[in-house]
Amino acid sequence: MKRVPYLAPPAFALAALVLSALIGAGAPAFAQTMLFKDRVEQCAACHGADGNSTIENIPSLAGQPEFFVMNQLVLMREGVRPVEQMLPFVKDLTDPEIMALAAYFGMRTPRLEGTKPDPALAQRGQALSERLRCGSCHNQDFSGDQQMPRIAKQRIDYMAAAMRDYRDNKRKGADTAMSAVVFGLSDADIDALAHYAASK
């Protein structure tokens, strides 16, 4: 099977068509193999056995939209979004493996791990979220959709670090729309948004 080429952010709609066409072309069969179980165990070492990360600054994958996970793994595999810790794992992933992993973690139930949301910060974050219209992309319940990640019940430390990287242009291969949203936010603003999203 041919590898899925990476398409730049403006071509997300076309990327969705390409990946959607591949769904069902080998992924269900691969999901029944021992190799798939090995892949899941590799993911679980950092992202949690049920996709809920218990490690600081490591994101949870449970309940993430399938297309989001597929897209991110393709970006990493093709070197467009370089993540050093992920490279040994993603460099040889096939398309059926990517689709099967996305489906597996998408079906896991998200559960908040790590720091619990502070009610005062969450309230401030809600006001910021409404002003920034976070729900227009991530859904009103922050469950995510297509290439937009689920941020509800995501680790607070991970979200805060990710938003700072977006703001400071340190997140390579990222969607520039997110950088524009968080541009100019203070660390305190970002922490409040992370607490609010985690509380959803």
Side-chain angles (χ1 to χ4, degrees):
M1 178 178 287
K2 293 182 179 179
R3 290 158 70 92
V4 180
Y6 165 70
L7 298 175
F12 271 138
L14 181 57
L17 291 175
V18 173
L19 286 171
S20 295
L22 289 172
I23 293 176
F30 176 74
Q32 306 303 316
T33 67
M34 289 300 297
L35 178 57
F36 175 69
K37 293 179 182 178
D38 291 340
R39 291 296 198 196
V40 169
E41 288 180 3
Q42 288 176 319
C43 296
C46 292
H47 296 283
D50 58 354
N52 290 293
S53 169
T54 59
I55 301 176
E56 185 177 1
N57 290 323
I58 300 294
S60 292
L61 302 179
Q64 290 291 353
E66 287 185 39
F67 181 73
F68 169 74
V69 176
M70 287 191 288
N71 193 47
Q72 293 303 306
L73 289 174
V74 169
L75 293 177
M76 292 176 194
R77 183 185 70 184
E78 302 303 323
V80 178
R81 185 191 165 198
V83 179
E84 184 178 353
Q85 300 92 323
M86 288 288 292
L87 182 58
F89 174 71
V90 300
K91 62 185 180 68
D92 296 321
L93 278 180
T94 65
D95 295 330
E97 288 177 297
I98 286 175
M99 290 182 287
L101 288 169
Y104 174 83
F105 285 108
M107 290 186 294
R108 307 278 78 79
T109 301
R111 184 183 67 252
L112 181 62
E113 294 286 355
T115 303
K116 304 306 177 187
D118 177 274
L121 283 176
Q123 184 175 12
R124 180 184 174 196
Q126 180 177 7
L128 281 167
S129 173
E130 291 171 357
R131 176 167 64 83
L132 297 171
R133 301 184 67 233
C134 299
S136 64
C137 289
H138 295 281
N139 282 340
Q140 292 303 315
D141 62 356
F142 288 2
S143 60
D145 185 52
Q146 294 297 319
Q147 77 269 22
M148 297 300 173
R150 177 187 188 92
I151 54 177
K153 294 183 172 61
Q154 183 60 271
R155 289 188 62 93
I156 290 173
D157 47 26
Y158 171 76
M159 281 192 290
M163 283 190 280
R164 289 187 181 96
D165 283 348
Y166 275 116
R167 181 195 63 190
D168 301 336
N169 292 317
K170 293 180 178 179
R171 196 173 177 90
K172 297 179 181 178
D175 187 348
T176 54
M178 185 64 189
S179 297
V181 170
V182 298
F183 178 78
L185 292 182
S186 67
D187 285 351
D189 289 338
I190 285 174
D191 287 340
L193 286 169
H195 277 257
Y196 175 57
S199 73
K200 297 284 279 181

